Amino acid sequence: MEGVQCDYLSELDVVWDRSETLTEKPFHYCPGCGHSVMNRLLMEVVQELGIQDKTIGVAPVGCAVFMYHYMDIDMQEAAHGRASAVATGIKRILPDRFVFSYQGDGDLAAIGTAETIHTVNRGENIIMLFINNGIYGMTGGQMAPTTLKGSITSTTSSGREYDRHGYPLDITPLISQLPGASYVTRQSVDTAKAVRKTKKALTKAFQFHMNGGEGVCFLEIVSNCPSGWKMTPIESNEWLQDHVFNHYPLGDIKPFPK
Amino acid sequence: MPEKQLMKGNEALAEAAIRAGLKGYFGYPITPQSELLEYLSRHLIDRGGEFIQAESEVAAINMVYGAAGCGKRVMTSTSSPGYSLMQEAISYIACGELPCLLVNVVRGGPGLGTIQPSQGDYFQAVKGGGHGDYRLIVLAPNSVQEMADFVFKGFDLADQYRNPVLILADGALGQMMEPVTFPDYNPEDNLVDHSDWATQGKPASRGPNVITTLHLEADKMEAVNLKLQEKYRTIMANEVMIESIQTEDADLVLVAYGLTSRIAHKAVELARNDGLKVGLLRPKTLFPFPSQHLAVLADQVTSMMVVEMSAGQMVEDVRLAVNGKVPVYFQGRMGGVIPQPDELLKRIHQVYSSSSTQVNS
Amino acid sequence: MKHEIVIAGFGGQGVLSMGMTLAYAGMLENKEVSWMPSYGPEMRGGTANCTVIISDQPVSSPILNSFDIAVVLNQPSFDKFQPMVKPHGYLLYEQDQIFNADCRQDIHAIGISATKEAHALNNKRAMNMIMLGALLGTNAIVDIPSVINALKKVLPERHHHLLPLNKQALKKGQGIIHQVAEV
Ligand SMILES: Cc1ncc(C[n+]2csc(CCOP(=O)(O)OP(=O)(O)O)c2C)c(N)n1
Ligand code: SF4
């Protein structure tokens, strides 16, 4: 904050600072990408709950593959689709740690579908974060299982068609039906208000396990991919609000057990 | 003296794993190794470990990856088709240098194949199996006792070198019963402290421990490879294990590992009864391979014969070691058929007479 | 001394546990032993067999293609293992299960009506132990008390009241062979 010169703020009024749980490494995500917000939120929550020394994360294969560069906690990078199995292995060996997995839609809902369903079905005591941006970001914008009808991707050049490509896989409500899921919610990070709601959900999920709660906390974040969608960040957020949230409605799908 | 028990190979291996301090087992049913999974499902949790029957071999091996990354003793076991499914993660585990124990109770392939014993997964086991330049330490037991002994050895080697260790058995070794005694082994005396690299939660006193195998810059990835190769060279220099039977005066030496080494041993006995000077060299480690021992033997014998339940996969390694000094013959069966002692004896007579005529002429 | 034995029959006739009991008894007498079963789907309804080796020396191959003694409980096993018995070896068969007992002349082929004898003992499951007794009658491979001790280990506690019956059956089988030998 040194060197800030401003009429209405004194040097002591810090309004935002990088959490100590974030490293100094700049994010590699494209400008306006929801991954940046989610990476930061995660570490803010870990910081605020004081569980940096007890949290172990699992990174996916996808745009968030390098998230362990930014997070100042112990982390493992999993093979494509297997983050929840890796998280299972960690949690079973170190049951007093807080373990989260973080996956995109191709990772969690295509190649890793079996691991996703079975991890939830076993009711592992972990947090599963699912960043649904409707596309394969890292590999250059191919169709994802969650891609909506008509969306143009590099493998659906005239838009996704149901009869050719199948329907968008709405996996989160499916997940919520499993007894192993204790908390299932769908949130977003497209507005400041949405970010606050997501942070609250994330905090509650960690607190749930800190207080001895059992079962998976599953958080879907309906997010954007300005690069893959070929939009500006603002356009991509408007697209979310106008075209995506009606297909993937936000809110708690399965509240915490009483 | 510790008590002798009559056990199946699969069960002896499982019991040994518990005694070696196993903290996590992750597996999926497949014949002929299911007794291993079943035994651990009954006994591991009560004796201090976690057990998961995973939804697939893919999930199981990725659980092993996560758990091994915590620096504790963990393992999986499977049979051939399941082992094929695990290859991607094994490559990650080798690159991430995560110590763990893998078991392949091999059955006849390719494809769904048969559940009868085979050694057709030799290439996959000793040359890597998955993508990239990596090696596993590969131990090849040939008795129920060794199915147990190699578990202790395997965990110790895995910890010492931070390398996955594979026990390469076969259906017959898994199913047969022999007496076994378990050594006095206190895991606490043998555990290695992995807290300097393992993900166990980051205390304020150190930076984060990260397990990753991704290094996009080619020179960084090459450095990782060079370090691995250096480690493999150390392993090759220090960890070769063999058994040699009546090789001192032998003209013909059989080379066989695992179950076939037992049958070859019988054939050696029969051949000696017939007055032929035949011996047996058995690699107990397939990686590192006993190339030096074979090279030395090649100066003494007139020929060698590899016996395998495969199309002759180990022949390549024996020929490389022998480097053209003597002919290397092969006798084997495939697809789950076990070579019989008398069929080996017949071939020994053939080879013996043809190589002695070669020498004489 | 080394004894190389195969026991074969239908899955469910108890041939695997018979072999296991024998191997266990050998181990209790501090001998080297191995038990190698056939396994897999062929056992369901088909034939099951196990190779048992009991020896003073370490066992080399647990897999064999010639045997000192074959105990067979059905026709397919009789046909399969007859050629694998060593000259002067024994082929013991359950008489009522074998319809065609044509056999080589250079081995001792002995039919035993174990099922009938078991009925006489009021327990048809004793058939196995009669055959095992017969096996021990050909050769003192292990002592009957060792077999009983092995059964104590192999059988669940709730079946231990059957031990005296098993002992009787073993002796019965042994006696049958001894009689044949005297004739
Ligand atoms: C990769 C691989 N792993 C394991 C197996 C072994 N395997 C064959 S069938 C089977 C499970 C069969 O279960 P189910 O679907 O319930 O069919 P069922 O046989 O009971 O009718 C397994 C694990 C295999 N063939 N391939
Ligand atoms: S490609 Fe898409 S998902 Fe990936 S970083 Fe860029 S905007 Fe984010």
Side-chain angles (χ1 to χ4, degrees), chain B residues 269-325:
Chain B
E269 290 170 2
L270 296 171
R272 288 269 168 181
N273 287 346
D274 293 351
L276 308 188
K277 288 187 186 164
V278 181
L280 169 67
L281 185 126
R282 164 166 86 100
K284 292 184 180 177
T285 50
L286 297 176
F287 183 85
F289 193 72
S291 305
Q292 280 306 319
H293 295 84
L294 286 163
V296 169
L297 264 185
D299 289 329
Q300 169 207 313
V301 303
T302 47
S303 61
M304 293 196 190
M305 182 167 110
V306 177
V307 184
E308 270 182 281
M309 293 187 288
S310 81
Q313 299 184 21
M314 191 171 67
V315 174
E316 295 186 8
D317 287 330
V318 176
R319 288 212 172 118
L320 274 175
V322 164
N323 205 9
K325 281 188 215 158

Side-chain angles (χ1 to χ4, degrees), chain A residues 28-35 63 133 135-138 224-228:
Chain A
H28 69 280
Y29 302 112
C30 306
C33 175
H35 277 306
C63 277
N133 60 10
I135 202 163
Y136 283 23
M138 189 189 212
N224 61 351
C225 173
S227 299

